[in-house]
Amino acid sequence: MEAIYSHWLFTPILVTVAIIALFPLVAGYLTLVERKVLADFQVRLGPMRTGPHGLLQPIADALKLMLKEDIIPTDSDHAIFWFAPVISTFTGLTAFAVLPFSRTIYVADVNVGLLVVSAMSAVGILGIILGGWSSNSHYPLLGALRSAAQLVSYEVALSFALVSGVMVAGTLSMKQIVLAQQARGVWFVFDNYFFMIVPFAVYIIAATAETNRAPFDLPEAESELVAGFHTEYSGFRWALYFLAEYANIFVVCSVAVTLFWGGWLRPFPSVHWLEIPLNVAFPVVLFVGSGALTLPMVKKLKDPMQQKVLVVVALLLVLIGALFIIPLVNHAVIGLFWFLLKVFLIIYLLIWFRGTFPRFRYDQLMNIGWKIAIPVGMAAVLINAVLGMLRHPL
C-alpha cells in the first residue's frame, strides 16, 4: 500500500475519481441552491416537499431523469444526436484536470493550463451546435445558430480579459498564477492600482454569455424557442447537457478565482497574524454556526422522519466545523475550503444575475459583445500593459 500511496499517479487518479463521482451530486445541489435563491428573490419558498426544506429534491430529480423515456426523433441524425451531449459533458469535465483546488489537490499542473481551459470551453459549444442541428427541428436549429454567434462574440472578449491576467501573472500555469499572487501578497483583481477590476468585470460578463446563463441564455430561450437547442432531448441525454452547463459554470468561476481572486489563498495571505482567525476560527464559526442555525428549523417540521434528517444535517455541519480545529486536517483542507468558498460566491453572483436582469434581445446581445465588451477588453489589455511597465520598469 505504501508503494501505491507514494506513486506519482496516485493523487491525480484519486482527484479524478473524486471529481467524476462527486460533481454530479454537487451540480444537483447547485440547482437546489439556485431554486431557493430565486424563490427568495420572488418572496416564495422554492422546493419544500421532498425531504426537509427540499434537501432531497436533487436526488428525486436525478432518479426521474434516469428513469424517464429517452426519445430520439425519427428524422434526426441519430449518431450525432446521440454524441452531441457527450461532447459537451466530456469537455466540461476535462477542464477540471488543470484546476488547482489547493496547493496539493489537482490532477495536472501544465504550463499552458489556461489555454487548456479556453480550448475545452470553445469545443464544448460544438455539442450545443451539433445537438441543435442534428435534431432536424426548426427551434433547436435556431438555438444552435444563436449559440455559434454567441461563441464568436464573447470568446474574443473573454480572451482579452484572460490576456490581462496572464500579463500580470507572467505564466499560463494555473498553479503558478496562484503562487505569483502569494509571492506578491495581493490578489490580482486588486493589482495595477485596482485597474484589474475592469478585465475581471469583462470576464464575468463574457463567461456568463459563454455558459448560456441568463440574461444571455438565447440558445435555450423558452419564450421564443420553446427550449432552444435541447427541445428534442429528454431523459438521460438532457441530463448530460444540464451536467455540462453546471460543469462549465464551475470551471469559469474557478478560472476567475484562480486568475483574479487568489485561488486557494486566504484573504491577506501575507499578513501572518491573520492565520488563526481566518484559517481556523472563520471556517469553524461558519460551519458550526450554520449547524446551530439549522436546529431551530427542526421544530417547524411536522414529519418526524424529516426532523431526524434535518438534525443529522445540522450535526454533520457542526462535525465538519470541528474538524478544522485539528491542525493536521486544517492544513490538508484549508486551501480547498477557501477555493470552493470563493467559487460558490461567484456562482451565487451568477444566480443573482439570473434573478435580476431580463433576457436581452438578440441584437442587444450582439451589441454588448462587439460594441462594448471587446473594445473594453482591448483597452484593458493596453492600459494594464502600460501600468505593468510603470510598476516594473526594465
Side-chain angles (χ1 to χ4, degrees):
M1 291 300 292
E2 185 177 347
I4 295 175
Y5 293 149
S6 60
H7 197 279
W8 65 276
L9 282 175
F10 176 74
T11 301
I13 292 175
L14 183 64
V15 175
T16 302
V17 171
I19 290 170
I20 295 173
L22 294 178
F23 186 75
L25 186 65
V26 172
Y29 276 92
L30 279 177
T31 64
L32 179 62
V33 171
E34 184 162 6
R35 293 167 74 177
K36 286 286 191 182
V37 172
L38 293 175
D40 195 41
F41 268 60
Q42 298 156 0
V43 198
R44 53 188 178 85
L45 295 176
M48 291 291 289
R49 300 282 180 156
T50 313
H53 294 272
L55 283 178
L56 300 181
Q57 186 65 51
I59 308 298
D61 290 340
L63 289 174
K64 179 194 74 173
L65 291 170
M66 294 290 289
L67 299 175
K68 193 174 182 181
E69 183 179 5
D70 195 4
I71 299 170
I72 299 179
T74 304
D75 295 328
S76 66
D77 188 320
H78 288 201
I80 297 179
F81 187 88
W82 181 90
F83 192 61
V86 176
I87 295 175
S88 293
T89 307
F90 176 79
T91 54
L93 293 177
T94 301
F96 279 80
V98 293
L99 296 180
F101 297 97
S102 73
R103 184 184 290 272
T104 56
I105 303 176
Y106 55 87
V107 177
D109 176 30
V110 295
N111 59 355
V112 289
L114 207 54
L115 289 181
V116 173
V117 174
S118 300
M120 290 297 105
S121 174
V123 174
I125 304 294
L126 187 63
I128 294 176
I129 297 171
L130 290 178
W133 176 80
S134 65
S135 299
N136 194 28
S137 176
H138 296 303
Y139 288 144
L141 178 59
L142 287 172
L145 293 175
R146 286 183 176 188
S147 179
Q150 202 163 307
L151 166 68
V152 174
S153 301
Y154 285 90
E155 188 79 20
V156 179
L158 186 125
S159 299
F160 280 127
L162 293 179
V163 167
S164 293
V166 170
M167 285 195 308
V168 177
T171 178
L172 288 167
S173 165
M174 302 287 279
K175 184 179 178 181
Q176 293 302 319
I177 287 171
V178 180
L179 293 178
Q181 294 174 78
Q182 184 177 25
R184 297 188 195 181
V186 62
W187 293 349
F188 282 159
V189 73
F190 303 119
D191 208 357
N192 283 350
Y193 310 104
F194 293 88
F195 190 79
M196 283 294 291
I197 294 174
V198 174
F200 170 70
V202 172
Y203 176 87
I204 286 295
I205 294 170
T208 305
E210 280 275 297
T211 53
N212 301 321
R213 292 283 301 179
F216 301 108
D217 55 338
L218 274 297
E220 52 187 65
E222 298 91 344
S223 57
E224 64 264 26
L225 295 185
V226 185
F229 68 92
H230 57 58
T231 298
E232 304 294 344
Y233 281 88
S234 63
F236 184 69
R237 266 183 272 273
W238 183 90
L240 286 179
Y241 270 128
F242 150 84
L243 179 63
E245 178 177 329
Y246 277 88
N248 289 329
I249 292 169
F250 191 94
V251 168
V252 297
C253 293
S254 298
V255 172
V257 166
T258 302
L259 191 57
F260 295 101
W261 292 95
W264 67 79
L265 301 176
R266 62 173 171 83
F268 307 104
S270 58
V271 182
H272 297 292
W273 66 268
L274 288 174
E275 183 78 20
I276 300 299
L278 291 179
N279 278 358
V280 179
F282 177 74
V284 170
V285 170
L286 180 66
F287 283 105
V288 174
S290 299
L293 291 173
T294 303
L295 287 174
M297 301 164 65
V298 176
K299 300 177 182 178
K300 299 179 182 179
L301 297 173
K302 305 293 183 183
D303 185 12
M305 181 57 70
Q306 291 198 0
Q307 290 179 338
K308 293 177 183 176
V309 172
L310 199 58
V311 168
V312 170
V313 171
L315 294 177
L316 185 61
L317 289 170
V318 172
L319 176 62
I320 293 173
L323 290 175
F324 280 90
I325 300 175
I326 304 172
L328 187 63
V329 176
N330 187 292
H331 179 73
V333 301
I334 193 62
L336 180 64
F337 166 78
W338 283 114
F339 182 85
L340 293 179
L341 179 64
K342 296 173 190 176
V343 168
F344 286 125
L345 285 175
I346 297 182
I347 292 175
Y348 191 68
L349 177 66
L350 297 186
I351 297 173
W352 270 43
F353 287 171
R354 179 172 180 176
T356 304
F357 301 109
R359 180 185 292 124
F360 291 110
R361 293 195 316 267
Y362 194 67
D363 61 309
Q364 293 172 327
L365 176 82
M366 294 294 103
N367 284 338
I368 293 171
W370 289 103
K371 296 182 180 179
I372 299 176
I374 291 177
V376 171
M378 293 175 66
V381 171
L382 179 61
I383 294 172
N384 274 302
V386 173
L387 291 175
M389 288 189 291
L390 292 175
R391 290 178 65 249
H392 306 286
L394 295 176

